[in-house]
Amino acid sequence: MKGAIFDLDGVLVDTAVYHFAAWKELANKFGFEFTEADNERLKGVSRMKSLEILLSVGNIAASDKQKEEWAKEKNERYVKMLENLNENSLLNGAKQYLTKLHNDGILIALGSASKNAPLILKKTGIEDMFDAIVDGNSVSKAKPDPEIFLKGAELLGLKPEDCTVFEDSQAGIEAARAGGFSVVAVDKFNVLKNADRYITQLADMLII
Ligand code: B16
Ligand code: MG
């Protein structure tokens, strides 16, 4: 491995809890329950696609304009919750593993679908640990399309086969596979398939 490409939500930072809370508030406003099981389907998926899944759960039809407004509303709720983020929001072993890779001369990229990635990196204090950043603001195709990771490898000046992707979503694993990367699945609930290696948290990577 010459390069490591990290997903953000669910791999480095526990923002999934805030995504869920903000989607749940929106669903409650519409008058239906949005469960943890429903929420699993949103992991790694873009904001608009997530809204469409939520609306299908509630059996709600909407125009594109309405969808834009609701996606914006959810994001405003979510960004407000992100005010609570700090270094303690980093997942177990995340900062230590990034530091280890850096000290070992491995190049590090971010490969996240989130448009809020710059804010999250800043609030958790890890923005300076990346040699390249690719997020929802810089790509047009969402995972499982490999664009995010291919762009990350390109910015690092490396070939996909020299990089490992760390992912917690099935869409992200498929994206990495499609791009020719090896994949480590961060799989807390034993639900992911098709990865080269499975860990429950990045701290597992520190155990030799
Ligand atoms: P935003 P990741 C993804 O982040 C989340 O897993 C997914 O739940 C979210 O819908 C997506 O970012 C977009 O996030 O609304 O902040 O742009 O896992 O790719 O780091
Ligand atoms: Mg993720």
Side-chain angles (χ1 to χ4, degrees), residues 7-9 19 42-47 50 74-75 78 112-116 143:
D7 176 60
L8 182 61
D9 174 32
H19 276 299
L42 309 190
K43 288 196 177 158
V45 170
S46 73
R47 193 181 307 164
S50 298
K74 179 268 172 179
N75 192 54
Y78 174 64
S112 166
S114 177
K115 294 186 173 172
N116 294 299
K143 302 169 188 175

Side-chain angles (χ1 to χ4, degrees), residues 1-6 97-98 101-102 104-110 130-132 149 152-166 180-184 205:
M1 167 169 78
K2 295 181 185 164
I5 307 181
F6 290 89
Y97 188 51
L98 289 173
L101 290 177
H102 179 73
D104 290 350
I106 308 290
L107 294 175
I108 302 171
L110 184 80
F130 295 88
D131 300 292
F149 298 133
E154 191 189 324
L155 287 174
L156 294 179
L158 296 173
K159 293 187 198 128
E161 58 262 38
D162 293 327
C163 300
T164 297
V165 167
F166 293 82
F181 297 86
S182 58
V183 199
V184 175
M205 297 300 294

Side-chain angles (χ1 to χ4, degrees), residues 66-186:
Q66 261 176 334
K67 286 198 253 177
E68 286 295 340
E69 276 165 25
W70 289 336
K72 185 166 171 264
E73 181 182 333
K74 179 268 172 179
N75 192 54
E76 282 166 1
R77 291 174 192 268
Y78 174 64
V79 169
K80 205 159 194 335
M81 293 173 191
L82 291 183
E83 280 170 22
N84 300 320
L85 278 193
N86 57 44
E87 201 170 304
N88 295 327
S89 316
L90 290 170
L91 288 165
N92 207 3
K95 191 157 186 183
Q96 294 85 336
Y97 188 51
L98 289 173
T99 306
K100 180 185 183 305
L101 290 177
H102 179 73
N103 291 341
D104 290 350
I106 308 290
L107 294 175
I108 302 171
L110 184 80
S112 166
S114 177
K115 294 186 173 172
N116 294 299
L119 173 68
I120 295 167
L121 294 182
K122 191 158 193 264
K123 297 226 42 131
T124 53
I126 55 170
E127 57 184 336
D128 294 337
M129 304 190 84
F130 295 88
D131 300 292
I133 290 179
V134 184
D135 62 27
N137 303 294
S138 45
V139 292
S140 55
K141 295 182 213 127
K143 302 169 188 175
D145 189 283
E147 185 187 11
I148 288 182
F149 298 133
L150 289 174
K151 209 162 176 184
E154 191 189 324
L155 287 174
L156 294 179
L158 296 173
K159 293 187 198 128
E161 58 262 38
D162 293 327
C163 300
T164 297
V165 167
F166 293 82
E167 254 295 344
D168 75 316
S169 73
Q170 197 58 49
I173 291 173
E174 301 313 330
R177 278 259 169 265
F181 297 86
S182 58
V183 199
V184 175
V186 180

Side-chain angles (χ1 to χ4, degrees), residues 176-195:
R177 278 259 169 265
F181 297 86
S182 58
V183 199
V184 175
V186 180
D187 189 13
K188 226 171 24 183
F189 305 109
N190 215 4
V191 291
L192 299 175
K193 296 174 296 203
N194 211 14

